[in-house]
Amino acid sequence: MGKSLYEKVWESHAIRTLPNGQTQLFIDTHLIHEVTSPQAFGMLRDLGLKVRFPERTFATVDHIVPTHSLLEPFEDPQADEMIRQLRKNVQDFGITFFDVTSGLQGIVHVIGPENGITQPGMTIACGDSHTSTHGAFGAIAFGIGTTQVRDVLATQTMAVSKLKVRRINVEGRLQPGVYAKDVILHIIKVLGVNGGIGYAYEYGGSVFDNFSMEERMTVCNMSIEGGARIGYVNPDQTTFDYLKGRPYAPKGEEWEKAVARWKALASDPDAHYDDVVNIRAEDIAPTVTWGINPGQGCAITDRVPDPAQYPESERPALEEALRHMKLKPGQPIKGVKVDVAFLGSCTNGRISDFREAAKYLKGRKVAPGVRAIAVPGSQQVAKQCEEEGIAEIFREAGFEWRGAGCSMCLAMNPDKLVGDELCASSSNRNFKGRQGSATGRTVLMSPVMVVAAAVTGRISDAREVFGVETLVGA
Amino acid sequence: MALEPIKQVQGRAVHVPGNDIDTDRITPARYLKVVTFDGLGEALFYDERFNPDGSEKPHPLNDPRFKGASIMLVGANFGCGSSREHSPQAIYRAGFRALVGESFAEIFFGNATALSMPCVTASKADIERLAQAIEQDPSLLVTVDVERLEVRYADTAFKVNLPATAQKALVEGRWDPIADLLEAGELIEQAAARLPKATRQ
């Protein structure tokens, strides 16, 4: 019986068994940001500990960063305190920091890959649940809490328990207008928001073989929304082509050696999986959420559920979601009025997302009354969008074109929903209050669907708005 | 670093019903704009408990009958979403010392355990029976026995589950793993020498 990539990486990084039976796992690369690290540095100082391998930690500022102006001090004194604290911590402990003045700042899960810091076979940890994103490269990447951030800073290791592995095959051809975002929303809908507890998800099949790295990242990013702390795709030529020449990727002879090593890490053809799920690509529609968790989704052509048609035990949750979303039981999701359109986040804030969205936005206008915001995932993505004329297309259309950061995905900066505004969002969470207003409403969808919502002012089927034959799909 | 062994938690309980209670509900993101965890207890379930004008909404944690509870009864997939340790920190700082639920999100579970706060799982039926019992008598004394893996109240007891690693960590006072991790010493150096790192070329 062969081994999965997860098992191979686990075995090469396990240092020892801890007294409580967990494994002490070496973490190759640690990514930190301003929100979940300050208390960890505080704990280090209290314990009189140093950062064990500062060269293995990389810092950025993303969650609290204002996207309209980087003028300091920031208008929000709490945000200003956080960036100053991070600067002090990276300076005190000798950590590389992609600060706002570096031209390399951005969302931690965007800049790791774009700089080649994220590499196959690595163990990666970050105090952020969307760290699963890095699994797109065949890395085993953990979202961790702040106490674990301290553990990794102090020891470059952490205490973890081994997961089971579920292989998810998506075979066939995606329909026009169906994107990576729809694939993961569909997977979560099928397996549930807690279906992945105890599992690492290994994504494969022809759809993933044909996906670009950025599409793989979109899927791996939302593994955690399905309850799986880890999601990954086996490394292949697409992975190597993406990484080659990036600043932190190996070069020359080292590159050749690395590729050989990475190839050997991919799951063996006869690898053991604890579970296998098969999904037909043709069954996946452009998917949107109608509720208050990412599993409460449906095809754009569907109606929202009517609780009366569900078993009594399921009704309260459905009713709560519909009440929050101000949707009527059984109404079509298409046509619901939109107040805000948000394009960005670690799920869909990469260059390919903006390119694809711009293709359809070009020459169109944001509907009157809609506040549309485009937030590149990193300063490098922002720069590329300027160079390729994408930023101008967004501005022309009436989008606010902003600086890099997490922005309205979780509204820790000034970008927030107001009251019960409904937001068509390319982000990853539609939790109550997620976008900064307790009564705010979030509908998750692909970037092209966000653009369709922005220009029509309604939740729309992008295939109809832009003409199905022009949508080439993922 | 001797830590307090957590063999059992005893106290009054409160039921916060519902499945998939996410970390944004437990601690809204605006409360994460802090550089310490102090004072987070007040952020707990803030938007569920209070209107924007600060007036109270009906919520179990606002119910005077359950003030001072130290055990929280919850549904399935509690703590899903973000990795923010602010969520278990807020629960702990609001006075809770154990959670009993149908299931817990993985990162939340790990964060809570490292704070010495056991998250044990039980059947929906057992949790609902206990919820009914505390509804009838909010002063009911509830014991979460981490060693014997059971919950006891009045003349009733039911079995609960906890991964063996978490049980051992709590019962033996090893819930904060830092001392054990530091002990690896030379093994860490060897791994660092052997394993790849991202270096600017």
Side-chain angles (χ1 to χ4, degrees), chain A residues 12-16 18-22 24 26 28-29 34-36 38-39 43 47 49 52-53 55-56 58 64 76 78-79 81-82 85 104 115-119 122 126-129 143-148 150-151 154-159 161 163 193-194 196-199 224-225 227 229 246-251 261 292-293 320 410-412 416 429 431-434 436-438, chain B residues 1 17-26 28-38 40 46-48 50-52 57 76-86 88-89 103-111 113-115 124 163-170 172 174-201:
Chain A
S12 62
H13 289 75
I15 285 187
R16 62 172 192 147
L18 291 163
N20 75 338
Q22 283 188 296
Q24 183 166 4
F26 189 83
D28 294 319
T29 301
E34 75 283 12
V35 178
T36 55
Q39 298 88 348
M43 296 179 210
L47 293 167
L49 295 169
R52 189 70 165 257
F53 300 104
E55 71 278 15
R56 286 182 181 270
F58 302 89
I64 54 94
D76 177 349
Q78 289 175 304
E81 161 78 4
M82 294 183 87
Q85 188 71 49
L104 300 172
N115 285 295
I117 293 168
T118 302
Q119 296 172 17
M122 276 185 169
C126 175
D128 194 288
S129 61
I144 59 177
T146 296
T147 298
Q148 281 184 307
R150 174 207 63 186
D151 294 346
T155 71
Q156 205 63 39
T157 67
M158 57 186 208
S161 300
L163 297 168
V193 287
N194 58 1
I197 294 181
Y199 283 97
I224 186 66
E225 312 312 336
R229 188 179 193 178
R246 293 196 182 253
Y248 285 81
K251 302 281 183 319
R261 199 179 70 242
I292 54 173
N293 72 53
E320 183 191 7
L410 87 169
M412 281 188 74
K416 292 176 170 54
R429 289 192 175 134
F431 297 153
K432 280 182 178 178
R434 172 75 178 179
S437 165
Chain B
M1 200 170 2
N19 295 333
D20 308 314
I21 304 266
D22 59 74
T23 50
D24 278 274
R25 270 198 258 179
I26 300 170
R30 63 184 182 280
Y31 292 105
L32 275 51
K33 289 194 287 182
V34 289
V35 294
T36 74
F37 288 129
D38 302 342
L40 267 178
Y46 193 90
D47 291 339
E48 305 267 291
F50 301 99
N51 292 305
K57 295 182 186 178
N77 199 28
F78 185 84
C80 61
S82 156
S83 67
R84 59 186 72 159
E85 190 169 308
H86 307 66
Q89 287 276 1
S103 65
F104 293 91
E106 218 159 278
I107 306 177
F108 177 90
F109 175 88
N111 289 343
T113 307
L115 293 181
K124 187 182 170 74
T165 48
Q167 185 193 26
K168 205 163 154 63
L170 289 161
E172 293 183 2
R174 295 176 177 278
W175 36 268
D176 182 337
I178 190 70
D180 288 332
L181 293 174
L182 286 166
E183 261 178 26
E186 189 54 29
L187 290 175
I188 298 176
E189 303 299 328
Q190 287 166 12
R194 175 169 54 89
L195 291 164
K197 72 176 167 206
T199 312
R200 194 174 173 89
Q201 304 291 317

Side-chain angles (χ1 to χ4, degrees), chain A residues 8-200:
Chain A
K8 295 181 199 181
V9 173
W10 183 273
E11 284 171 7
S12 62
H13 289 75
I15 285 187
R16 62 172 192 147
T17 303
L18 291 163
N20 75 338
Q22 283 188 296
T23 298
Q24 183 166 4
L25 198 72
F26 189 83
I27 300 301
D28 294 319
T29 301
H30 187 202
L31 306 169
I32 60 170
H33 60 74
E34 75 283 12
V35 178
T36 55
S37 71
Q39 298 88 348
F41 284 107
M43 296 179 210
L44 270 196
R45 289 190 177 98
D46 288 347
L47 293 167
L49 295 169
K50 288 187 165 32
V51 176
R52 189 70 165 257
F53 300 104
E55 71 278 15
R56 286 182 181 270
T57 295
F58 302 89
T60 189
V61 55
D62 49 11
H63 287 62
I64 54 94
V65 113
T67 57
H68 61 288
S69 162
L70 288 175
L71 202 66
E72 293 187 45
F74 295 155
E75 284 163 27
D76 177 349
Q78 289 175 304
D80 197 63
E81 161 78 4
M82 294 183 87
I83 194 170
R84 283 190 289 111
Q85 188 71 49
L86 182 60
R87 283 188 186 129
K88 175 174 166 44
N89 289 333
V90 296
Q91 193 171 13
D92 285 0
F93 292 96
I95 291 165
T96 301
F97 178 33
F98 300 104
D99 203 346
V100 288
T101 51
S102 66
L104 300 172
Q105 172 266 339
I107 307 176
V108 65
H109 310 309
V110 175
I111 68 163
E114 76 184 3
N115 285 295
I117 293 168
T118 302
Q119 296 172 17
M122 276 185 169
T123 49
I124 298 177
C126 175
D128 194 288
S129 61
H130 293 113
T131 307
S132 55
T133 311
H134 306 265
F137 292 79
I140 298 302
F142 299 84
I144 59 177
T146 296
T147 298
Q148 281 184 307
V149 172
R150 174 207 63 186
D151 294 346
V152 179
L153 288 171
T155 71
Q156 205 63 39
T157 67
M158 57 186 208
V160 267
S161 300
K162 201 171 175 185
L163 297 168
K164 292 182 282 186
V165 181
R166 172 179 289 147
R167 167 86 180 189
I168 300 175
N169 292 306
V170 186
E171 296 282 359
R173 276 178 68 87
L174 294 176
Q175 302 292 306
V178 175
Y179 293 92
K181 181 62 157 288
D182 303 303
V183 172
I184 186 61
L185 285 173
H186 182 86
I187 289 172
I188 298 167
K189 183 162 66 108
V190 171
L191 297 176
V193 287
N194 58 1
I197 294 181
Y199 283 97

Side-chain angles (χ1 to χ4, degrees), chain A residues 50 58 83 88 120 131 206 212 235 267 314 321 369 398 422 428 447 451 472:
Chain A
K50 288 187 165 32
F58 302 89
I83 194 170
K88 175 174 166 44
T131 307
S206 58
S212 70
S267 295
E314 293 177 31
L422 187 139
N428 42 54
V451 166
V472 289

Side-chain angles (χ1 to χ4, degrees), chain A residues 66-68 373 375 402 407-408 411-417 435:
Chain A
T67 57
H68 61 288
I373 303 175
V375 183
R402 297 292 191 82
S407 178
M408 206 187 267
M412 281 188 74
N413 77 342
D415 307 333
K416 292 176 170 54
L417 295 184
Q435 293 191 288

